[in-house]
Amino acid sequence: MLSPDRVPDLEPLARAGDDYAVVRRAIAHIRGNWQAQPEIEIIAEAAGVTATELHHLFRRWAGITPKAFLQALTLDHARRLLRSSASVLDASFEVGLSGPGRLHDLFVTHEAMSPGEWKTGGAGLTVSYGFHPSPFGTALVMATERGLAGLAFADAGEERAALADMRGRWPQASIVENAARTAPLARRIFDTRLWRADRPLRVVLIGTDFEVRVWETLLTIPLGRATTYSDIAAKIRAPKAARAVGAAVGKNPISFVVPCHRVLGKSGDITGYHWGLTRKRAMLGWEAGRVAS
């Protein structure tokens, strides 16, 4: 069954998912009109709700006002994120990436599959999956016995396509539906009250050595910060490999947790995202609310 679970523990996430449907429409209007800094009444009309409803929705969903959310999606804001990120990323990278520790805001620990395991296409690997509500639409959560292995997103009607996309990454693995197993992971990922240093979220990175190095670097980008493809290339000591870095970022199998949405163009442009630019904008705005609060 390809519908989000509606078990009691996930009800707050289900509500956030319902909010996201309105947020998508608001973002679509903001995206086309941000330079004019439209008033909330205009954005609300485009989103199909009243100004009061939109104000309360953003407060509930992102923790900030619609105006603050609008500002978080402007080019100037993105440029400020990039300017303030260089020293932060340098410092976190110098700390090192091996072993457990606070790699970013979800308190993630990680390990990588061996090159041999990756080359077999996941042969002998069992991956459980489940669809769950999230603040960014339906989330496809995938896990092995070693930890979270995949996180994808889908709008209504796109669930099968998202699953096929993720299946293709490990063609020889056994992919089995087990929403009961993945539901606790969905709560850990999207409920900020469960982001705890004493209970880190374990993820397993399945890719080439180069891809894993890129994904590990993504884990050093703090909440409310951003970086560029060329900066990542420099961090992994491959300064001429910005294009290859971009390809690796695009193949990141654990969206949001491994925060590829925090990678921007050199000028601060919100560039490509495998699960859609609207969702990337929503994630950046949502995180702006987390930082503000």
Side-chain angles (χ1 to χ4, degrees):
M1 183 176 180
L2 294 177
S3 60
D5 284 351
R6 296 286 172 156
V7 295
D9 284 347
L10 288 178
E11 281 303 319
L13 294 182
R15 185 174 186 181
D18 292 339
D19 287 347
Y20 177 68
V22 179
V23 169
R24 285 185 65 217
R25 296 195 292 271
I27 290 175
H29 184 81
I30 291 170
R31 180 183 179 185
N33 301 277
W34 67 268
Q35 288 176 310
Q37 296 290 292
E39 296 295 330
I40 184 173
E41 289 80 9
I42 303 299
I43 300 172
E45 182 179 359
V49 294
T50 68
T52 299
E53 288 170 334
L54 187 65
H55 181 85
H56 289 305
L57 180 148
F58 270 95
R59 279 291 194 184
R60 181 172 65 242
W61 180 81
I64 53 178
T65 65
K67 182 177 180 180
F69 183 80
L70 169 61
Q71 292 172 340
L73 298 187
T74 66
L75 187 61
D76 284 344
H77 179 79
R79 286 170 174 161
R80 288 196 299 273
L81 289 183
L82 290 175
R83 283 198 299 269
S84 63
S85 293
S87 60
V88 175
L89 188 57
D90 284 341
S92 60
F93 192 80
E94 289 170 4
V95 168
L97 295 170
S98 61
R102 181 179 179 178
L103 294 181
H104 76 139
D105 315 274
L106 287 175
F107 298 104
V108 172
T109 63
H110 76 280
E111 63 175 299
M113 277 200 158
S114 70
E117 289 176 304
W118 174 79
K119 286 180 181 178
T120 64
L125 182 68
T126 297
V127 181
S128 301
Y129 78 88
F131 287 89
H132 306 283
S134 87
F136 314 109
T138 298
L140 168 58
V141 180
M142 309 188 77
T144 72
E145 63 179 11
R146 291 157 68 173
L148 177 71
L151 179 60
F153 295 95
D155 296 322
E158 297 177 352
E159 294 89 350
R160 290 188 181 276
L163 180 58
D165 181 297
M166 296 301 284
R167 279 181 182 274
R169 298 167 189 246
W170 313 298
Q172 303 304 316
S174 174
I175 310 291
V176 297
E177 185 173 14
N178 189 344
R181 181 178 181 188
T182 55
L185 283 172
R187 289 193 293 273
R188 290 283 309 281
I189 294 165
F190 299 112
D191 187 343
T192 56
R193 295 170 299 180
L194 301 180
W195 294 7
R196 291 168 44 186
D198 62 345
R199 193 179 172 214
L201 177 70
R202 177 166 291 279
V203 302
V204 55
L205 304 175
I206 306 174
T208 67
D209 178 66
F210 181 83
E211 288 168 347
V212 168
R213 286 164 60 201
V214 169
W215 301 337
E216 288 177 329
T217 304
L218 293 177
L219 281 168
T220 69
I221 308 171
L223 190 78
R225 295 290 187 269
T227 193
T228 66
Y229 301 105
S230 56
D231 283 345
I232 293 174
K235 299 304 175 189
I236 63 172
R237 295 178 174 83
K240 296 182 180 181
R243 188 179 296 274
V245 165
V249 170
K251 291 180 181 178
N252 170 31
I254 311 179
S255 301
F256 185 69
V257 173
V258 178
C260 51
H261 60 281
R262 297 178 192 163
V263 183
L264 306 178
K266 273 190 173 181
S267 67
D269 291 329
I270 298 177
T271 52
Y273 185 62
H274 190 77
W275 305 108
L277 284 179
T278 295
R279 188 167 279 109
K280 181 171 182 173
R281 288 183 172 90
M283 288 178 177
L284 292 172
W286 186 88
E287 290 185 344
R290 305 278 78 74
V291 172
S293 61

